[in-house]
Amino acid sequence: MLNKSVIIGRITDDLKLSKTASGMSYLSFSIGCDRPKAPNQDRATTDFIRVKAWSKSAGYLSQYCSKGDKVFIEGRLTVIVTGK
């Protein structure tokens, strides 16, 4: 099976590069993606999607991107279900 997601949006957080206990770099941030405005709405809605980038991708993003920049993200979607 294939699990591939493509997201285009703007970075909503300040990017801070972190490392795991084993030394692997990662970034956790969110991207805001605007939906087109529906005819019966006053304004467009925005989806906020949590993203985690690892290793070289994390280093590149932290060096060259910042809050408000438009980015194209391609990766795998993971859904975390919390208890009721």
Side-chain angles (χ1 to χ4, degrees), residues 1-83:
M1 291 195 161
L2 179 66
N3 181 352
K4 182 176 181 179
S5 297
V6 175
I7 303 166
I8 300 172
R10 296 197 179 272
I11 298 171
T12 63
D13 305 323
D14 290 323
L15 299 178
K16 183 181 175 202
L17 191 63
S18 301
K19 291 194 183 275
T20 64
S22 64
M24 183 178 283
S25 300
Y26 72 94
L27 279 174
S28 291
F29 60 99
S30 64
I31 295 177
C33 302
D34 291 333
R35 291 187 189 186
K37 184 182 145 223
N40 61 346
Q41 290 179 320
D42 293 336
R43 59 184 192 175
T45 57
T46 303
D47 293 318
F48 295 95
I49 301 164
R50 296 294 306 161
V51 176
K52 190 169 277 190
W54 293 94
S55 196
K56 290 182 182 179
S57 297
Y60 180 88
L61 283 164
S62 69
Q63 186 174 0
Y64 295 108
C65 298
S66 60
K67 183 177 179 178
D69 287 347
K70 189 179 242 185
V71 292
F72 175 100
I73 302 290
E74 182 177 335
R76 127 179 132 229
L77 181 66
T78 302
V79 178
I80 299 171
V81 179
T82 58

